[in-house]
DNA sequence: CCTGGCACTCACGTCGTACGAGTGCCAAGT
DNA sequence: ACTTGGCACTCGTACGACGTGAGTGCCAGG
């Protein structure tokens, strides 16, 4: 059905269209890529590719452009991931190693990714649900107010103010710290509920009411609403492909403002070893049907903390994007593992 | 020079143009607004307004549109700040009171503002340089590593990991805590360098090297790089005025990605009592010359923590935007003051 | 199965034209 | 001195006709 030359023609069409953004005709194609056959032959192959649904015409007298299905085939079988240049590798390293805390790492990564790919970059903060407790600090703000500060092993910090039912002495606070500290230190967040289960019974009666109210805030913060955060950069790059998004720029920008949508987009697969590509209609998100998304999980070795990726027109440089995304994810993963 | 009727004509032009986005002609204007004069008279007034530079033609056979100078006059003398509807006030309240920490307050505010004004909203996190230290926590991560967590009275949390020159005992850490805690608690960040000045001399010799290295990190974090953060929302609203930004959407999006630019925009005036409006060319930022910015400081009473505002086409609903921005700033100010 | 040739189809740019909104100005009216 | 109706003029826009050329599909011959 699809012999090697037809595949070669498809690759040529995708590559030409991606770089020129204009429908590519049989003649130009036979000339520029040394296929060794005449335009007429190319036309026949094109007709076959069109029958199979890999390419289309915008109109009768125009050249061909790839369909989503065509891009899919291209990504799966025809493209080789572009390795980064030495300059790019160095750029990544120097750019990221200046990071001063987790927020900084994420912000730098997302900017970096946007610059490398010249597209919209999205990076999810390390997920709470997959981290462990590094430290829980309890600060005695006022007799009846506490500030809880939780720090995870990924460097993430969550904080909450707790209004207490009663007044607390400094000694009580020390007891609280001990009670929580011993149970939580190093515990994965998913295990926190179990680790705290026996707490009310084990604690001195005097501080039980306070303790339970603190406990409920802790659980609520960490487990029930594991709030996920996301950083975006490079939205201005969307305008570069403004021609690709005649009336669709709007929904794309809207989708990018919806945390939930983005999480869905990035979070669907978090396998840190492979890069995933969603092309056009494959996207579950209405409004992103004219875009492609390249995602990957990142984190130390097996454990993926979270996802990151880039989003652009279906007509994008897949090989380059996949390479950049993978490289940045690796660096960030190592960085977080070492920290 | 500019009698009352001419001003009235200017107001009518601005209002019509803002709502329809089409150049307004003398006839339509005389009909829709009950000015009590004929189109011809309106034309004369228009000619006068044009001589003064308050309005222009796009071309000969088109109606008039306001110039930046025209909008300026409108904002300064002709528009009345629109009070919010009851529903809007209630929306603000319910939306903001669910906030769980500072980050949440800021994120909710910026979303709210974008929705109310249907424009791009920008909110600066409470500035570090204007806050005081609420608490400095020192966590002993490993023998030669410390985690510093600084919490300000505005609820902002900054954290840094410090690699120490030597190994530290638990007792040393306690001493460190005391040394810093006593000096910093409640101190305005600007006074921190002074408060710490005598620290190396006063401390036990044993921990001095460690202490100075911690100190330098603290100072660096808090004073030398008072990193300002910013939240944005509603960029999708820019596409609504896509007709206003034919080729200028790009630079606007780019400007919105530059923290520095935004801070400059918002930070120029932080008087919490008045709302400031920058119209078109008045903007110091290249690339935002086709936009207007409405900003205000927020914070408890006299002390402005930071700024917030909205950005849109010069052709925007100034009265409504000013009202919304002011209202949200007040609520957020109260909220933070009470927290 | 490839190739050159050939007729055919359309999108696109150009040109000319008609239309109409809106203006500027003037002379008459108040 | 200001307002008003009238009128000629400008110019941007919409519309239709037309030529052009890129690109195709098909066919007959190698």
């Amino acid at each position: 059905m699809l012999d090697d030359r037809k595949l070669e023609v498809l690759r040529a069409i995708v590559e030409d269209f991606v770089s020129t953004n204009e429908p590519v005709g049989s003649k130009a194609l036979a000339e520029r890529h040394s296929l060794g056959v005449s335009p007429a032959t190319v036309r026949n192959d094109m007709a076959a590719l069109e029958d199979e649904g890999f390419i289309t015409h915008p109109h009768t007298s125009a050249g061909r452009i790839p369909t989503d299905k065509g891009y899919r085939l291209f990504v799966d079988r025809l493209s080789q991931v572009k390795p980064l240049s030495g300059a790019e590798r160095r750029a990544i390293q120097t750019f990221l190693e200046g990071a001063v805390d987790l927020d900084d790492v994420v912000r730098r990564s997302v900017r970096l990714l946007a610059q490398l790919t010249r597209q919209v970059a999205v990076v999810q903060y390390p997920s709470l649900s997959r981290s462990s407790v590094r430290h829980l600090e309890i600060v005695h703000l006022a007799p009846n107010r506490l500030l809880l500060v939780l720090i995870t092993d990924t460097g993430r910090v969550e904080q909450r103010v707790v209004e207490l039912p009663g007044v607390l002495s400094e000694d009580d606070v020390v007891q609280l710290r001990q009670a929580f500290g011993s149970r939580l230190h190093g515990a994965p967040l998913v295990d926190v509920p179990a680790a705290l289960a026996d707490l009310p019974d084990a604690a001195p009666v005097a501080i039980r009411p306070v303790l339970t109210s603190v406990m409920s805030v802790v659980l609520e913060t960490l487990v029930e609403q594991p709030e996920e955060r996301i950083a975006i950069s490079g939205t201005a790059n969307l305008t570069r492909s403004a021609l690709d998004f005649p009336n669709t720029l709007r929904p794309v920008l809207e989708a990018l403002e919806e945390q939930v949508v983005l999480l869905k987009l990035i979070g669907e697969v978090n396998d840190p070893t492979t890069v995933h590509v969603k092309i056009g209609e494959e996207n579950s998100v209405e409004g992103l049907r004219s875009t492609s998304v390249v995602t990957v999980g990142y984190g130390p070795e097996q454990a993926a903390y979270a996802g990151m990726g880039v989003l652009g027109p279906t007509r994008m440089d897949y090989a380059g994007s996949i390479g950049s995304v993978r490289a940045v994810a690796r660096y960030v993963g190592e960085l977080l593992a070492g920290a």
Side-chain angles (χ1 to χ4, degrees), chain A residues 276-292:
Chain A
H276 291 261
V277 181
K278 296 232 168 202
I279 299 168
E281 297 289 334
E282 295 171 11
N283 271 305
S284 50
V285 184
E286 177 74 26
L288 295 184
R289 292 284 165 74
S290 55
T291 68
S292 286

Side-chain angles (χ1 to χ4, degrees), chain A residues 71-90:
Chain A
Y71 285 122
R72 167 54 60 199
L73 184 63
F74 174 81
V75 168
D76 288 346
R77 298 186 42 196
L78 301 175
S79 76
Q80 301 233 353
V81 174
K82 233 180 260 172
L84 299 206
S85 71
E88 285 171 320
R89 307 197 94 82
R90 258 172 281 126

Side-chain angles (χ1 to χ4, degrees), chain A residues 142-162:
Chain A
N144 66 336
R145 278 170 118 192
L146 292 181
L147 174 67
L148 304 183
V149 181
L150 175 107
I151 299 148
T152 73
D153 59 346
T154 52
R156 206 168 140 168
V157 179
E158 293 287 322
Q159 28 140 351
R160 291 290 183 281
V161 173
V162 189

Side-chain angles (χ1 to χ4, degrees), chain A residues 5-329:
Chain A
R5 199 190 51 216
K6 289 197 182 64
L7 291 178
E8 202 49 44
V9 169
L10 176 58
R11 156 190 276 138
I13 292 174
V14 171
E15 285 175 357
D16 269 30
F17 183 66
V18 164
S19 63
T20 67
N21 195 20
E22 271 167 20
V24 26
S26 55
K27 191 177 158 199
L29 204 148
E31 280 172 8
R32 280 209 288 210
H33 303 260
S34 39
L35 294 173
V37 291
S38 77
T41 311
V42 173
R43 280 206 288 280
N44 289 333
D45 291 349
M46 282 173 153
L49 286 169
E50 185 162 11
D51 283 346
E52 303 288 334
F54 294 112
I55 54 178
T56 356
H57 294 209
H59 54 263
T60 337
S61 70
R64 303 305 217 289
I65 61 173
T67 61
D68 290 351
K69 194 179 168 191
Y71 285 122
R72 167 54 60 199
L73 184 63
F74 174 81
V75 168
D76 288 346
R77 298 186 42 196
L78 301 175
S79 76
Q80 301 233 353
V81 174
K82 233 180 260 172
L84 299 206
S85 71
E88 285 171 320
R89 307 197 94 82
R90 258 172 281 126
I92 295 180
Q93 227 156 359
T94 57
F95 200 71
L96 286 187
E97 75 192 2
V100 76
D101 65 359
L102 177 70
D103 276 28
D104 208 21
V105 170
V106 172
R107 280 196 301 265
R108 281 168 186 251
S109 307
V110 76
R111 268 195 100 110
L112 184 60
L113 209 46
Q115 279 175 16
L116 284 176
T117 61
R118 307 204 55 182
Q119 268 151 3
V120 182
V122 182
V123 176
Q124 180 189 2
Y125 280 70
S127 169
L128 268 185
S129 55
R130 292 180 206 160
S131 327
S132 307
V133 178
R134 177 185 268 169
H135 188 80
L136 175 68
E137 186 55 43
I138 302 180
V139 182
H140 201 186
L141 291 181
N144 66 336
R145 278 170 118 192
L146 292 181
L147 174 67
L148 304 183
V149 181
L150 175 107
I151 299 148
T152 73
D153 59 346
T154 52
R156 206 168 140 168
V157 179
E158 293 287 322
Q159 28 140 351
R160 291 290 183 281
V161 173
V162 189
E163 304 281 346
L164 299 175
V167 172
L168 221 58
S169 77
E170 199 52 50
D171 280 351
D172 296 335
V173 176
V174 171
Q175 287 204 357
L176 268 182
R177 284 202 189 106
Q178 283 175 347
F180 281 99
S182 60
R183 280 178 176 76
L184 292 186
H185 190 75
L189 287 208
V190 284
D191 298 344
V192 165
L196 293 184
D198 67 326
L199 193 50
D201 300 329
V205 180
I207 61 167
R208 278 195 197 169
V210 171
L211 188 140
T212 51
S213 97
V214 169
M215 208 175 109
S216 72
V217 172
V218 169
L219 291 178
E220 185 185 306
T221 306
L222 305 189
V223 187
E224 293 167 22
Q225 331 176 304
E227 180 205 1
E228 304 292 0
R229 295 175 56 197
I230 278 188
I232 300 185
S233 178
T235 46
N237 288 328
L238 285 176
T239 58
R240 220 167 9 91
S241 22
L243 302 171
D244 299 325
F245 305 115
N247 297 320
T248 41
L249 189 61
R250 183 88 196 265
V252 174
L253 280 173
E254 274 168 358
L256 288 179
E257 290 206 341
E258 288 293 335
Q259 300 270 347
V260 195
V261 166
L262 284 182
L263 285 170
K264 193 174 167 198
L265 210 64
I266 287 195
E268 280 177 352
V269 193
N270 272 349
D271 180 350
T273 53
T274 37
V275 178
H276 291 261
V277 181
K278 296 232 168 202
I279 299 168
E281 297 289 334
E282 295 171 11
N283 271 305
S284 50
V285 184
E286 177 74 26
L288 295 184
R289 292 284 165 74
S290 55
T291 68
S292 286
V293 184
V294 178
T295 54
V296 70
Y298 72 91
E301 299 298 328
Q302 312 301 357
Y305 284 152
M308 64 169 65
V310 300
L311 177 151
T314 51
R315 180 202 141 258
M316 78 186 256
D317 173 10
Y318 290 98
S321 298
I322 293 173
S324 300
V325 167
R326 197 167 65 184
V328 172

